[in-house]
Amino acid sequence: MCRVSGYIGKKETLPIIMDGLRRQSYGGYDSSGVVIGKDSNLTCIKAVGKLENLEKKLEGQNLKGNWGIGHIRWASHGAVTEANAHPFWDCKKNIYLAHNGIIENYRELKDVLIKEGHKFISETDTEVAVHLIEKYFEGNLEEAVRKALKEIRGAYGFVIIARDDPQKIVAARLSSPLLIGINEDSYIIASDPTAIVPYARKIINLDDYEIATITLKDLFIIKEKVPETLELVPEEAEKGGYPHFMLKEIMEEPEAIENAIRGRLMIEEGSVKLGGLDSISEKLRKINRLILVACGTASYAARVGEYMLEEYAEIPTEVDIGSEFRYRKPVVDKNTAGIFVSQSGETADTLAALKEMKQKGILTLGITNVVGSAQARETDAGVYTRSGPEIAVASTKAFLGQLATLAMLTVYLGRQREMALVMGKRIVSELAKLPELAKDVLKSAPEIEKLAKKYKDYKNFWFIGRKYNAPIASEGALKLKEISYLHAEGVAGGELKHGSLALIDENFPTVAICPSDSVYEKMVSNIQEIKARGGPVIAVATEGNEDIKKIVDDVIYIPKTLEMLTPMLSVIPLHLFSYYVAALLGHDVDRPKNLAKSVTVE
Ligand code: AGP
């Protein structure tokens, strides 16, 4: 997704804006640009490709100034060219603008503006906005922006400056994340908190339809807000000595479980304490149907949650992906609750589904990682997964935080209903052991790296699992796909013989997730179906299971735990496997091509 940054203050702007763009670049990008203001002179430099190309163009320019904006682009409208890179300027080279989002009605606006004589230089949707603001500009930038935004439909995080209204940045938000870092003598603007961390401790999260006018002396937002304290600390946004953020975050998976359960397990009472739900706990007692909505990796966590909530809380539960839920006509009633799962809390499709549910007056809960994100602010109540900042595009530790939170939610709702004290005690005491068990799984990282070396040259992979581990098969396949660019599919073990088996041969390895649980025997027959057709098989199995070695090519062992909690151990080797394969293939693991960390547009 695109990312914007801005700075106004006493210090030199360019290094701060470039650092802001670099820190947000994990989200993937294809071109970049900055505009730096010195007094009322504005200089704009743009470049295609990596930020290094922009740095090369900036060399020797000696671009000085104390205010400016910057942008990294993830192309949605128009090819990857310098002309289509942001920031854009108006016909008089007075106003400059950078944008994160999509302007849905840009064609009709562009036609009108062209008829009014405006000259366009790009194929993008965004350029329309700078000419629209130009149309209303009479010396006061925020006034012109306010008028222009009335005509714009879509999603936006805008940062805008003007030569003829100098020493001022106007920022406006609708759906796309936009934050302002506040200091005594300066303001930093960004799409993501990681770009603000080194420069400010106080931030403001702009809300939808808010416009901020930022000058050296003052920050004025149409609709007042109370600054929050940023949780994030600078170190957390660093790699901590690992070659990639993804490996660092996989190694933090035990800690992610620890953070999610800390202070929330009540072992003696066989229950959990989820403070974020207290305000709606009585309403939750009356709920007799759950709909979980999420996208990508988060949707696989939701699918594991579906098994947990039905088996242990005995509540009819269904899962849907945000991009489908928002357009289907779900039949819901007042005893239905919607649970939205998202790491970033800014995923447009999940947020749209949330708005749809709120429209119908349905109780909404959020399972979110990013504090203060739109999902956290829009849902009636929720639980933070507390996984810490997740920088790599491929979601790993946040997934563990989501699974731990769904397991606790199952106990919370189960104990409100038929779940007995003994069962509650069993689940929470087993949950309490998981951080240590997860650390044990990570000890097999060197072996898994060897397996990655052995299998990295295959072009196609199946991942199979059953019951709680069927969604984990999908998660394993997604991870391998999104960072190694190899073809992989997750399929429920029992589905193989209904078609997918046709593809099996010695060139098509399968990763079989088969812990010693209630469906183990079924998984063994699926593995034999594959072996009978010469397919190589890597099994993820429970420690102590020696038999499995006789029927598969390679085994990765995980410790024993409750069936409903096995996904929190079986997924870790899959995250490691995909990481090592991608790293061995020399890919940019943290910033895979064509992908973004949080998908803030439809
Ligand atoms: C996962 O590795 C991907 N980055 C992607 O599928 C992600 O899970 C999806 O976009 C949902 O993101 P969210 O959890 O921030 O809503």
Side-chain angles (χ1 to χ4, degrees):
M1 222 35 40
C2 298
R3 290 285 183 261
V4 300
S5 91
Y7 172 86
I8 184 163
K10 298 250 180 328
K11 298 202 183 85
E12 270 309 317
T13 297
L14 186 58
I16 295 174
I17 287 190
M18 289 303 287
D19 182 46
L21 295 180
R22 213 171 286 111
R23 286 173 181 276
Q24 297 180 89
S25 62
Y26 63 81
Y29 66 99
D30 50 52
S31 52
S32 60
V34 295
V35 185
I36 303 301
K38 183 159 184 46
D39 309 327
S40 61
N41 297 319
L42 297 177
T43 310
C44 180
I45 309 280
K46 307 198 272 188
V48 170
K50 296 291 176 204
L51 272 170
E52 292 71 27
N53 298 354
L54 181 61
E55 276 150 6
K56 272 205 214 78
K57 288 186 84 175
L58 287 164
E59 265 152 32
Q61 302 262 355
N62 192 22
L63 219 42
K64 297 279 183 233
N66 74 309
W67 58 302
I69 58 174
H71 183 270
I72 45 175
R73 180 180 186 235
W74 191 75
S76 60
H77 291 72
V80 176
T81 63
E82 192 172 319
N84 288 340
H86 303 205
F88 293 104
W89 49 84
D90 66 350
C91 302
K92 307 182 195 64
K93 284 211 161 184
N94 163 31
I95 303 165
Y96 288 79
L97 169 148
H99 173 217
N100 166 19
I102 286 186
I103 299 177
E104 286 161 7
N105 60 337
Y106 81 100
R107 281 195 190 77
E108 53 263 38
L109 290 171
K110 191 170 183 175
D111 297 346
V112 174
L113 289 161
I114 288 173
K115 286 204 189 73
E116 292 170 355
H118 289 266
K119 298 270 176 294
F120 284 75
I121 59 167
S122 80
E123 309 151 282
T124 67
D125 54 322
T126 300
E127 194 186 357
V128 158
V130 76
H131 290 283
L132 203 54
I133 295 165
E134 175 186 13
K135 178 175 173 180
Y136 296 110
F137 186 78
E138 292 152 355
N140 177 295
L141 184 57
E142 66 268 26
E143 203 36 42
V145 170
R146 213 172 47 70
K147 290 191 183 127
L149 292 183
K150 285 194 180 357
E151 297 182 34
I152 288 176
R153 267 205 332 278
Y156 55 76
F158 284 129
V159 283
I160 310 147
I161 58 178
R163 178 197 58 224
D164 302 349
D165 190 1
Q167 300 286 335
K168 178 191 282 181
I169 300 177
V170 173
R173 174 216 162 119
L174 175 58
S175 286
S176 300
L178 201 53
L179 305 101
I180 303 168
I182 304 168
N183 265 331
E184 307 309 309
D185 59 1
S186 65
Y187 295 95
I188 300 99
I189 303 120
S191 305
D192 190 295
T194 50
I196 293 180
V197 172
Y199 304 101
R201 303 299 310 141
K202 289 246 169 276
I203 63 157
I204 279 193
N205 251 303
L206 274 190
D207 258 338
D208 283 355
Y209 302 107
E210 286 188 338
I211 301 174
T213 304
I214 309 156
T215 62
L216 259 180
K217 289 195 285 322
D218 196 1
L219 158 65
F220 181 72
I221 294 176
I222 299 180
K223 200 163 79 182
E224 274 319 305
K225 292 203 55 103
V226 183
E228 308 154 35
T229 302
L230 200 56
E231 307 286 330
L232 211 48
V233 290
E235 288 70 40
E236 285 179 311
E238 305 303 334
K239 275 193 199 134
Y242 287 96
H244 296 101
F245 279 108
M246 184 177 177
L247 185 58
K248 171 178 176 267
E249 288 156 8
I250 293 173
M251 292 306 173
E252 290 172 347
E253 290 186 334
E255 199 189 325
I257 301 171
E258 180 69 49
N259 292 346
I261 63 177
R262 183 179 304 110
R264 289 170 166 172
L265 303 183
M266 301 151 66
I267 300 202
E268 280 324 303
E269 295 87 341
S271 188
V272 295
K273 189 177 159 351
L274 298 174
L277 301 185
D278 287 352
S279 60
I280 60 164
S281 95
E282 283 322 303
K283 284 191 184 150
L284 283 173
R285 233 177 251 292
K286 301 195 189 69
I287 293 300
N288 59 15
R289 179 163 163 240
L290 296 171
I291 301 181
L292 282 73
V293 179
C295 301
T297 282
S299 73
Y300 301 137
R303 285 183 42 209
V304 174
E306 179 182 20
Y307 285 92
M308 292 172 172
L309 289 158
E310 291 206 331
E311 182 159 4
Y312 290 93
E314 297 171 29
I315 306 173
T317 303
E318 63 193 82
V319 175
D320 206 345
I321 51 175
S323 54
E324 281 305 309
F325 185 88
R326 62 184 298 179
Y327 294 115
R328 79 175 167 94
K329 196 174 170 321
V331 181
V332 293
D333 65 27
K334 64 178 179 11
N335 297 322
T336 303
I339 300 178
F340 299 84
V341 185
S342 173
Q343 186 286 126
S344 61
E346 301 288 355
T347 299
D349 286 326
T350 308
L351 288 176
L354 167 57
K355 289 199 174 98
E356 197 51 33
M357 279 268 207
K358 290 181 73 165
Q359 192 85 10
K360 294 181 170 30
I362 298 296
L363 185 65
T364 59
L365 288 76
I367 293 180
T368 318
N369 188 40
V370 176
V371 175
S373 57
Q375 177 173 289
R377 296 199 307 275
E378 305 267 342
T379 39
D380 299 310
V383 184
Y384 281 124
T385 58
R386 304 192 288 200
S387 310
E390 192 175 66
I391 307 287
V393 167
S395 183
T396 52
K397 64 175 180 176
F399 183 68
L400 276 295
Q402 289 160 355
L403 292 178
T405 304
L406 284 159
M408 289 188 287
L409 184 65
T410 300
V411 174
Y412 183 98
L413 296 172
R415 296 290 282 135
Q416 277 190 333
R417 292 161 176 75
E418 314 312 312
M419 184 189 283
L421 171 61
V422 276
M423 177 50 79
K425 266 188 168 175
R426 243 180 109 225
I427 298 174
V428 289
S429 46
E430 205 45 48
L431 256 176
K433 295 187 197 134
L434 276 182
E436 285 315 309
L437 297 180
K439 284 188 190 133
D440 294 347
V441 178
L442 288 176
K443 292 187 187 119
S444 23
E447 271 164 72
I448 296 169
E449 184 168 11
K450 284 204 202 82
L451 283 181
K453 281 199 183 94
K454 177 177 175 186
Y455 286 92
K456 68 176 177 56
D457 299 322
Y458 285 94
K459 299 292 176 245
N460 301 287
F461 289 81
W462 282 123
F463 286 73
I464 63 171
R466 278 177 177 259
K467 203 173 173 188
Y468 285 96
N469 285 289
I472 299 304
S474 304
E475 166 59 9
L478 176 65
K479 278 291 111 46
L480 189 62
K481 270 186 286 198
E482 65 178 316
I483 60 173
S484 72
Y485 316 146
L486 298 173
H487 167 246
E489 272 186 66
V491 62
E495 266 302 286
L496 266 182
K497 53 187 174 299
H498 300 292
S500 317
L501 205 57
L503 291 174
I504 292 291
D505 62 20
E506 63 285 357
N507 303 316
F508 210 130
T510 299
V511 178
I513 306 148
C514 50
S516 308
D517 58 15
S518 64
V519 285
Y520 173 72
E521 295 308 328
K522 307 297 177 200
M523 280 300 294
V524 168
S525 13
N526 295 140
I527 291 170
Q528 280 156 341
E529 286 161 7
I530 296 167
K531 292 310 296 171
R533 291 157 181 81
V537 176
I538 305 168
V540 176
T542 304
E543 276 160 13
N545 175 354
E546 293 306 313
D547 294 347
I548 192 79
K549 279 189 186 146
K550 302 186 194 101
I551 60 170
V552 299
D553 302 82
D554 296 284
V555 187
I556 304 165
Y557 283 109
I558 58 173
K560 186 159 185 45
T561 184
L562 277 184
E563 177 173 23
M564 75 175 265
L565 301 178
T566 52
M568 293 169 71
L569 300 178
S570 63
V571 76
I572 301 174
L574 307 187
H575 285 170
L576 280 169
F577 181 74
S578 57
Y579 167 77
Y580 287 125
V581 168
L584 287 163
L585 293 174
H587 295 318
D588 187 344
V589 174
D590 286 339
R591 289 181 290 188
K593 66 183 166 80
N594 305 343
L595 294 181
K597 180 64 186 170
S598 98
V599 182
T600 55
V601 291
E602 189 183 353

